[in-house]
C-alpha cells in the first residue's frame, strides 16, 4: 500500500486514489483510474478544479439521485452516473440490515449474496465510463463506496489484506467530516456493534472478499467484455 494516496482536494473528505495498490500477482492499480471519497458536495470551486486536474471525468454516485446540491458547480466536462446501492425495496432484507448494521462491514457479504445485480450495475458503469478517471462516492465514502471499491479491487486481483488496509483508512479520514456535521466518531460504535455480534472488521472484510469474483459477476449477468474492460481500466499495462 502506498502511504501517499490521500488527495488534498479543497472541501473533500475521505478522498484517496487507489493507484499503486498491488495485486497478488505483482501488478499495480494505475494512478488516476479509481478514486474513492465521501460526498463531493462540499468541494469548493478550487476543489472541483483539482478533481478535473487529477483526470477524473466520471463520478459514480452510489446514493442514487437523492443528493443535496453542491457547494460549487461541477465542471461541465464531468459525467455523473447514479446508482442506488441501498436495496430498500427488499423489505425483508432491509428490516434486518437497515437498522444500523448496514454501517458495518458485516453487511457487505450478505449484500453481495442477496443483490448481485447491484454489483453488476456498478462494474458495468465503471467499465463503460468515458475515457478518464472515475470517482466513486456515497455519503461517508465508507460502506456503499467500500463495497464498490472491494468489487473493483477484487476484479483487478488485489488481495484481502490490501483491501482491508484501504478500508481501515476511512476511520481516521472521516473524523473531520463527523466534526463538520457535529456527529460522533462512528468507529467505536461500529466496533461495538461487531463485537456484540461476535465479529470484527477484519473478520467481516475477510468474509466479503472470499468470493470467486469472476464467477460471481458473470453468473449475475455481467458480460465477459465488461469484466475485461473493468480490469484493463484499473491496471497498469504489462511492460
Amino acid at each position: 500500500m502506498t502511504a501517499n494516496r490521500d488527495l488534498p482536494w479543497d472541501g473533500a473528505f475521505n478522498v484517496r486514489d487507489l493507484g499503486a495498490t498491488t495485486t497478488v500477482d505483482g501488478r499495480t492499480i494505475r494512478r488516476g483510474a479509481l478514486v474513492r471519497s465521501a460526498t463531493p458536495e462540499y468541494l469548493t470551486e478550487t476543489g472541483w478544479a483539482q478533481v478535473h486536474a487529477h483526470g477524473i471525468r466520471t463520478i459514480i454516485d452510489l446514493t442514487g439521485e437523492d443528493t443535496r446540491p453542491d457547494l460549487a458547480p461541477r465542471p461541465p466536462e464531468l459525467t455523473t452516473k447514479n446508482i442506488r446501492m441501498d436495496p430498500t425495496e427488499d423489505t425483508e432484507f432491509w428490516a434486518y440490515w437497515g437498522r444500523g448494521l448496514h454501517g458495518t462491514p458485516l453487511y457487505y457479504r450478505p449484500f453481495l449474496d442477496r443483490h448481485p445485480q447491484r454489483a453488476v450495475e456498478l462494474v458495468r458503469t465503471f467499465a463503460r465510463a468515458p475515457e478518464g478517471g472515475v470517482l466513486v462516492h456515497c455519503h461517508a465514502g465508507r460502506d456503499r463506496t467500500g463495497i464498490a471499491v472491494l468489487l473493483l479491487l477484487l476484479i483487478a486481483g488485489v488481495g484481502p489484506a490490501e483491501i482491508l488496509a484501504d478500508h481501515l483508512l476511512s476511520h481516521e479520514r472521516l473524523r473531520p467530516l463527523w466534526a463538520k456535521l457535529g456527529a460522533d466518531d462512528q468507529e467505536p460504535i461500529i466496533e461495538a456493534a461487531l463485537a456484540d455480534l461476535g465479529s470484527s472488521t477484519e473478520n467481516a472484510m475477510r468474509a466479503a472478499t472470499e468470493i470467486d469474483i469472476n464467477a460471481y459477476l458473470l453468473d449475475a449477468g455481467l458480460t465477459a467484455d465488461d469484466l475485461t474492460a473493468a480490469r484493463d481500466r484499473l491496471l497498469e499495462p504489462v511492460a
Side-chain angles (χ1 to χ4, degrees):
M1 169 177 290
T2 176
N4 188 30
R5 64 177 49 188
D6 294 329
L7 297 172
W9 294 344
D10 193 38
F13 296 93
N14 194 26
V15 55
R16 55 191 179 275
D17 192 317
L18 278 298
T21 305
T22 56
T23 67
V24 294
D25 62 356
R27 297 184 68 181
T28 57
I29 303 295
R30 181 173 57 81
R31 185 166 175 82
L34 175 62
V35 174
R36 64 181 295 170
S37 78
T39 174
E41 67 187 271
Y42 302 115
L43 281 165
T44 64
E45 184 176 348
T46 296
W48 280 115
Q50 291 170 314
V51 172
H52 187 269
H54 196 72
I56 298 298
R57 295 298 180 268
T58 301
I59 296 175
I60 300 179
D61 179 353
L62 302 176
T63 67
E65 299 184 7
D66 185 22
T67 55
R68 291 181 289 272
D70 295 325
L71 178 68
R74 303 185 181 202
E77 300 87 354
L78 296 181
T79 298
T80 300
K81 301 289 186 178
N82 294 290
I83 298 175
R84 189 169 60 86
M85 285 289 275
D86 282 342
T88 53
E89 77 287 352
D90 185 346
T91 53
E92 180 184 14
F93 182 80
W94 201 247
Y96 181 79
W97 292 104
R99 55 190 178 94
L101 293 175
H102 69 294
T104 75
L106 198 64
Y107 165 81
Y108 293 9
R109 185 55 187 263
F111 170 87
L112 292 172
D113 289 342
R114 182 117 169 177
H115 294 282
Q117 295 77 20
R118 293 291 209 286
V120 168
E121 185 180 6
L122 177 278
V123 176
R124 182 187 294 126
T125 301
F126 177 81
R128 299 183 183 184
E131 184 177 355
V134 176
L135 169 66
V136 180
H137 79 87
C138 51
H139 179 65
R142 183 191 61 214
D143 298 308
R144 287 168 289 188
T145 300
I147 292 172
V149 169
L150 179 150
L151 287 165
L152 293 170
L153 292 184
L154 285 176
I155 287 170
V158 176
E162 287 279 353
I163 294 172
L164 171 63
D166 175 68
H167 174 81
L168 292 174
L169 290 176
S170 286
H171 291 310
E172 180 181 346
R173 306 310 192 266
L174 278 170
R175 287 176 186 138
L177 178 58
W178 304 142
K180 177 181 178 65
L181 298 175
D184 293 333
D185 183 357
Q186 292 188 6
E187 181 181 4
I189 300 170
I190 291 170
E191 292 303 321
L194 288 169
D196 286 345
L197 294 169
S199 187
S200 65
T201 294
E202 291 76 8
N203 289 339
M205 291 295 291
R206 186 181 305 113
T209 55
E210 288 176 347
I211 187 171
D212 182 338
I213 191 63
N214 294 339
Y216 168 78
L217 290 167
L218 294 172
D219 288 349
L222 187 72
T223 68
D225 286 346
D226 281 336
L227 183 59
T228 298
R231 183 176 294 114
D232 290 347
R233 185 171 198 135
L234 286 162
L235 291 168
E236 291 280 9
V238 176

